[in-house]
Amino acid sequence: MFAGEIKQLWRYPVKGLRGESLRSAAVDADGMAGDRVLGVFEPGTGKAVWGGSHPKMMGWEAAWPAQCGCADAVSGSPVLYEPGGAAWSADEAGLPARLAETIDAGKGAEIRRTAGAGDRMLVIFEASVRRLGEELGREIAAARFRPNVIVEADLEPYAETALAPGTPIRLGEHEFTLLMPCERCVLPSWDPSGSNERDMELHKHVIKELGNHFGVYVGIGESARVAVGDPVAG
């Protein structure tokens, strides 16, 4: 048993790009509204252009423009911001060429709809982030793991990945189900700012010491809303 609260919420409108911080978010059986609904692909193919092969992608940000004062709204098209700060609508004609140029995508880039986040949200625990930093002897940015929910709770570091699938986890007023631990790819080893620098020691440590798991996926079968400051219990 554990208890805590939601400290941060994050959404990534374009898979592989940096995302946006939220105060609250709508969630349903498809995951967090507006999360990873667009992706970057090689033109005319189904092959994804992703941060593991093009880490400069993380120099770009994506966010949904505020609608009617609702920071978590997802109507219209998201806005993409290139490293220099210039803003592009996701459907703007010149965006694909500019994106490809800045991320070194030699075959070009095409922004298309995806299947979304795959009916799940990624939750990480601050205690585990702190312990990882202690083990490596330096601060580790939670952003490396691209979480949707960052939780502070009275759970031992890394204990969340040992919880059984199907375990109920309450976020705010709604009961979510733990689906599985998150098996990590190479992406957390790349600097989340898009600087094109890689931390191989971090990657090796997660594989060797943590069984290549960090964070857990949760899902829910109904409509819900979560917010920063909501209580967490499991």
Side-chain angles (χ1 to χ4, degrees), residues 209-234:
E209 304 297 333
L210 306 181
N212 204 28
H213 290 135
F214 197 89
V216 293
Y217 288 118
V218 302
I220 193 168
E222 61 185 19
S223 295
R225 183 171 292 275
V226 294
V228 172
D230 275 355
V232 173

Side-chain angles (χ1 to χ4, degrees), residues 73-87:
V74 293
S75 61
S77 297
V79 176
L80 279 65
Y81 301 90
E82 62 177 89

Side-chain angles (χ1 to χ4, degrees), residues 18-234:
R18 291 209 310 272
E20 59 180 334
S21 175
L22 303 174
R23 295 299 302 172
S24 64
V27 186
D28 60 19
D30 294 323
M32 182 180 287
D35 186 46
R36 295 172 171 91
V37 295
L38 296 176
V40 183
F41 299 86
E42 290 185 2
T45 76
K47 184 176 181 180
V49 178
W50 73 295
S53 59
H54 295 79
K56 290 183 179 180
M57 288 176 68
M58 288 177 283
W60 283 71
E61 297 180 10
W64 292 95
Q67 304 284 336
C68 304
C70 303
D72 56 2
V74 293
S75 61
S77 297
V79 176
L80 279 65
Y81 301 90
E82 62 177 89
W88 298 79
S89 173
D91 55 7
E92 200 165 338
L95 173 60
R98 179 60 178 162
L99 179 61
E101 176 188 3
T102 58
I103 67 173
D104 300 332
K107 295 182 179 180
E110 187 173 87
I111 299 174
R112 298 202 303 264
R113 300 284 302 186
T114 71
D119 70 12
R120 59 195 186 183
M121 293 195 307
L122 177 60
V123 181
I124 67 171
F125 287 67
E126 287 193 335
S128 296
V129 178
R130 286 194 296 269
R131 177 62 58 83
L132 182 59
E134 291 167 1
E135 291 171 351
L136 290 168
R138 60 185 182 278
E139 185 175 354
I140 299 297
R144 286 183 175 273
F145 300 98
R146 304 180 67 79
N148 296 114
V149 185
I150 300 179
V151 166
E152 179 70 84
D154 55 0
L155 192 66
E156 288 296 311
Y158 309 138
E160 63 275 10
T161 58
L163 296 174
T167 297
I169 295 181
R170 195 161 190 84
L171 303 177
E173 299 179 355
H174 302 275
E175 188 172 285
F176 289 72
T177 300
L178 190 148
L179 303 176
M180 67 186 79
C182 178
E183 185 173 353
R184 306 310 316 202
C185 64
V186 301
L187 200 58
S189 67
W190 289 101
D191 191 293
S193 72
S195 66
N196 210 29
E197 297 178 358
R198 191 171 184 189
D199 187 341
M200 286 297 297
E201 185 183 5
L202 169 62
H203 184 57
K204 293 175 181 177
H205 188 88
V206 171
I207 292 173
K208 182 179 179 180
E209 304 297 333
L210 306 181
N212 204 28
H213 290 135
F214 197 89
V216 293
Y217 288 118
V218 302
I220 193 168
E222 61 185 19
S223 295
R225 183 171 292 275
V226 294
V228 172
D230 275 355
V232 173

